[in-house]
Amino acid sequence: MAGAVHCSLQAKRLLLDPKFEGYKLSLEPLACYQLGLDAAVAEVQLRDDQYTLDHMRAFGMYNYLHLDSWYQDNVYYVDQFGRVMNLSVTLDTALQKPREVFRLPTDLTACDNRLCASMHFSSSTWVTLSDGTGRLYFIKSGKRGSSASEKWEIVFNEELGSPFIIAHSVSFVKSDAHSLAVLLLRVEKDELDTKGSGFHVTLEWVTIAERKEGDQRYEIIKRRVLQGKSVPHYAAIEPSGDGLMIVSHKPFTFMQNESDKLEENDGAKVSNEKKDPLYYWQQTEDDVTITVHLPQDITKDDIKIHFSPDNVCVSLKDQPPLMEGKLYSSVDHESCTWIIREDKSLEISLIKKNEGSRWPELIIGDTRGEFVMDSSQCSEIAESLMHLTSEVMNPNPEKENPPCNAQELEECDAFLEDGASLCRFDGDTLKVTHIINLGSNQYLFSVVVNPREMPCFCLRHDVDALLWQPHSDQPENMWEHIATFNALGYVQASKQDKKFMACAPDYSYAALCECLRRVFIYRQPTPLATVLYNRKEGRQVGQVAKQLVTTLEASDPILGFQATSERLFVLTTKTLFLIKVNSGN
């Protein structure tokens, strides 16, 4: 994690409602339609050797219903005969039976250690598909959903080792060649892990590109593997294929192959030989002083230094710049100076524009310098931290007003995982570039709002649930707060039997379902048509947020759950339910 920028999520105050009064149970009936399936969903039960929590999260809680975000109200599932079945809805009262759009070439029942079949819609015309046995299919679908003559054509298929499920995929053009990047999730036996569960989780990042020559149209050009100790809550590739974002309880790291290790060892040897820093720097509240040791033959005329408000550039003679880059903070460039001292060292003085601020680094990302702290600064820092420490263990356990009384916390306020983090990995360096410690911001669910962007993820912030849209192409606004579901973080915590959560892409409602039958819907606050008063406070209530509950006529467990702006789709073993939540425009 060294070198990663530590960030934080900035909530938009305008999207928060501190006066939210809660949800009112509404008895308004919701139209619910159901379709019997010709063949049961291809559910795969966990085997006896898949006993860990990670197996349950990755495969036992798998969502067997797939929403095609590129086409409205279009869902898919795989049945027990290996058929990819599609339901495209235009009118609820004239529903057609799910139709077959593709059939997996392999016999699913022939593989003993198979996982559930999985798919992801990489673009409006491309699909990635796995049969659960370890084979990956790259399919050209053409325009999906509306055409009865839709034909899915396999353009690439290859055995990629042990069985996996597809976590995410994107389609993009790079170097004038069509490419596809896909994330494959596995939970594998770890012989070295004797104290833990005995398993580790891998995410394989596979890049497939179009060939200019030869018979085979597409080939694998990169295979990279990340390894961690917990199933990621969220894992998605950036639309450009240049990076990867992961939300997980435990960190992931890239596994190196032998050639990478040799290169790294060579680099380590070189870095060990160059032990002396290129420059030293000190700072006060007002200025920064940089000291650079000069070669013997350098004169004042050989030195060229350029100051700007946010950058500095130092070069000697006609050589490449000795120091160059963006400063940690702005300086008063017109007041910056430099001199050559008697010991033939170059001393540069930068005047801080923001007095009193302490710089953690001089030039952003430059590790060739060394910060020198004088004794007075050390003592100042030690003194400022003194109040946080005590020589006595638990000095006053009977304090009258403790800052937090654990007995006052409700059960739904307890978090099982406090160490979750959001990391952004660079596809070239394979290193973490940005990291956010999520702390108690519990992960809830993900949703695709715009299929051309990365999936959004929803986190609990206090009692609310906040929806975040990643923008990989905007470093200054990489995670944007786009919507809030009031009190949903608190409400969902009380639903102990919940299995899936989702929300409408237009944020009009959020929903969750239990393992059996019941579906809960939480609408955003809407203005009232009639006058309503708050009796306690004697004031008029302008809007109300409604909670609705639907009980499905099914005894089979819920296997899939997807939300669109108008409808909820709920999949059981033998039935597909449609719940009309909002009327169309």
Side-chain angles (χ1 to χ4, degrees):
M1 301 289 179
V5 178
H6 287 259
C7 308
S8 60
L9 296 172
Q10 302 295 327
K12 293 181 180 176
R13 287 181 176 273
L14 293 175
L15 295 180
L16 302 176
D17 182 6
K19 296 182 179 178
F20 181 72
E21 296 182 341
Y23 292 97
K24 311 297 181 205
L25 181 63
S26 172
L27 300 178
E28 73 174 85
L30 290 176
C32 183
Y33 308 90
Q34 64 184 75
L35 289 168
L37 308 183
D38 292 337
V41 176
E43 181 186 5
V44 179
Q45 301 286 350
L46 292 180
R47 303 187 303 271
D48 290 343
D49 60 345
Q50 296 174 319
Y51 53 82
T52 68
L53 180 60
D54 286 325
H55 285 104
M56 174 56 73
R57 281 181 169 167
F59 314 129
M61 299 285 284
Y62 186 73
N63 194 336
Y64 285 84
L65 191 61
H66 307 277
L67 178 67
D68 186 353
S69 301
W70 299 88
Y71 299 94
Q72 193 172 5
D73 293 290
N74 216 25
V75 291
Y76 293 79
Y77 66 92
V78 180
D79 71 12
Q80 62 185 8
F81 299 123
R83 300 181 300 173
V84 178
M85 307 296 287
N86 162 244
L87 175 68
S88 183
V89 181
T90 51
L91 194 63
D92 299 271
T93 53
L95 292 174
Q96 304 291 322
K97 281 269 191 184
R99 62 192 180 90
E100 177 184 341
V101 293
F102 182 76
R103 189 180 293 240
L104 288 165
T106 50
D107 179 8
L108 298 184
T109 57
C111 181
D112 293 333
N113 67 333
R114 73 184 178 97
L115 301 173
C116 47
S118 56
M119 70 176 78
H120 192 268
F121 302 97
S122 315
S123 76
S124 58
T125 53
W126 294 94
V127 183
T128 46
L129 182 63
S130 162
D131 58 10
T133 69
R135 183 168 287 275
L136 177 68
Y137 297 89
F138 183 23
I139 295 170
K140 187 173 185 179
S141 65
K143 189 176 180 182
R144 299 185 292 268
S146 58
S147 170
S149 60
E150 173 184 336
K151 188 177 187 309
W152 288 23
E153 174 196 353
I154 299 174
V155 296
F156 172 90
N157 85 92
E158 194 164 315
E159 191 76 35
L160 296 179
S162 58
F164 56 82
I165 59 171
I166 296 172
H168 189 244
S169 66
V170 291
S171 171
F172 56 94
V173 175
K174 202 161 209 176
S175 303
D176 295 328
H178 178 234
S179 302
L180 176 113
V182 59
L183 274 182
L184 313 178
L185 174 67
R186 297 181 177 96
V187 180
E188 299 179 323
K189 194 80 178 167
D190 190 343
E191 302 296 342
L192 300 175
D193 184 10
T194 55
K195 294 184 179 179
S197 66
F199 292 87
H200 62 240
V201 179
T202 63
L203 278 171
E204 185 173 6
W205 184 359
V206 180
T207 305
I208 304 163
E210 191 175 16
R211 286 185 62 154
K212 299 284 175 70
E213 305 165 351
D215 297 333
Q216 191 179 3
R217 288 177 58 191
Y218 287 83
E219 64 176 350
I220 293 176
I221 58 170
K222 277 185 188 175
R223 291 181 72 171
R224 294 157 287 183
V225 177
L226 295 106
Q227 186 174 303
K229 294 299 290 183
S230 67
V231 169
H233 299 299
Y234 171 98
I237 304 167
E238 296 173 356
S240 62
D242 293 331
L244 176 69
M245 292 187 194
I246 297 176
V247 176
S248 62
H249 174 43
K250 293 179 180 174
F252 275 78
T253 53
F254 273 98
M255 303 304 293
Q256 296 174 314
N257 55 36
E258 292 303 316
S259 61
D260 289 339
K261 287 181 181 176
L262 289 173
E263 285 179 17
E264 189 168 284
N265 289 337
D266 291 341
K269 288 176 186 174
V270 172
S271 63
N272 286 337
E273 291 168 7
K274 300 178 181 177
K275 287 185 178 178
D276 291 336
L278 183 65
Y279 58 87
Y280 298 87
W281 64 287
Q282 294 178 290
Q283 64 175 318
T284 66
E285 291 188 350
D286 307 314
D287 57 39
V288 174
T289 303
I290 309 165
T291 304
V292 183
H293 292 292
L294 299 172
Q296 290 294 328
D297 58 339
I298 294 295
T299 65
K300 187 175 182 180
D301 295 332
D302 297 328
I303 301 171
K304 291 182 181 177
I305 301 179
H306 175 69
F307 299 113
S308 68
D310 299 304
N311 289 267
V312 66
C313 178
V314 179
S315 54
L316 306 178
K317 288 190 175 178
D318 297 324
Q319 300 172 7
L322 188 69
M323 290 171 57
E324 184 179 28
K326 185 176 181 181
L327 296 168
Y328 176 78
S329 187
S330 299
V331 296
D332 182 358
H333 65 288
E334 294 181 352
S335 303
C336 297
T337 59
W338 61 273
I339 59 169
I340 297 178
R341 302 183 66 86
E342 294 177 1
D343 59 355
K344 289 292 289 183
S345 65
L346 172 64
E347 185 177 286
I348 304 169
S349 297
L350 306 177
I351 309 302
K352 293 180 180 179
K353 189 164 265 186
N354 301 317
E355 295 180 5
S357 63
R358 192 173 295 277
W359 293 12
E361 59 182 338
L362 176 64
I363 296 173
I364 295 174
D366 188 350
T367 57
R368 298 172 301 165
E370 183 178 303
F371 176 59
V372 180
M373 190 181 295
D374 62 35
S375 56
S376 63
Q377 288 176 321
C378 290
S379 58
E380 271 179 40
I381 292 173
E383 195 174 321
S384 67
L385 297 175
M386 193 71 75
H387 71 286
L388 299 175
T389 62
S390 172
E391 295 179 2
V392 184
M393 290 290 286
N394 197 13
N396 188 7
E398 303 300 326
K399 190 175 178 182
E400 288 182 12
N401 296 311
C404 176
N405 184 353
Q407 293 178 346
E408 293 177 1
L409 292 175
E410 297 185 38
E411 187 178 348
C412 60
D413 287 319
F415 294 104
L416 295 174
E417 301 174 345
D418 287 339
S421 61
L422 165 60
C423 296
R424 191 261 176 191
F425 290 85
D426 184 86
D428 294 325
T429 64
L430 307 185
K431 296 198 181 330
V432 177
T433 60
H434 299 75
I435 182 169
I436 295 176
N437 179 17
L438 297 179
S440 59
N441 298 135
Q442 178 191 9
Y443 174 87
L444 299 178
F445 62 88
S446 64
V447 60
V448 176
V449 169
N450 178 356
R452 288 178 175 79
E453 295 255 21
M454 297 181 74
C456 302
F457 53 86
C458 190
L459 302 177
R460 178 176 175 176
H461 288 246
D462 196 13
V463 298
D464 295 334
L466 273 56
L467 197 62
W468 300 89
Q469 173 68 69
H471 299 294
S472 57
D473 57 341
Q474 299 177 29
E476 300 302 318
N477 185 31
M478 196 167 280
W479 296 281
E480 182 188 3
H481 174 203
I482 58 171
T484 301
F485 297 101
N486 298 300
L488 184 65
Y490 184 81
V491 168
Q492 62 81 32
S494 65
K495 302 288 186 286
Q496 294 186 348
D497 294 329
K498 72 175 179 293
K499 186 170 185 180
F500 299 117
M501 289 186 71
C503 76
D506 62 358
Y507 333 129
S508 59
Y509 70 91
L512 63 88
C513 71
E514 296 182 338
C515 297
L516 281 168
R517 295 192 187 92
R518 288 204 297 177
V519 176
F520 298 86
I521 299 164
Y522 301 93
R523 294 189 189 276
Q524 292 282 18
T526 52
L528 289 168
T530 57
V531 177
L532 183 68
Y533 281 90
N534 183 315
R535 292 179 183 175
K536 288 183 180 179
E537 299 180 12
R539 60 179 176 80
Q540 186 174 334
V541 177
Q543 54 183 11
V544 67
K546 294 179 181 178
Q547 173 193 335
L548 301 98
V549 183
T550 296
T551 303
L552 306 176
E553 295 179 9
S555 56
D556 295 324
I558 293 175
L559 299 179
F561 190 67
Q562 296 289 354
T564 67
S565 297
E566 290 186 31
R567 302 172 183 86
L568 270 174
F569 294 86
V570 187
L571 181 70
T572 66
T573 310
K574 297 174 183 173
T575 313
L576 180 57
F577 293 88
L578 280 76
I579 302 170
K580 184 78 168 177
V581 182
N582 293 323
S583 58
N585 295 330

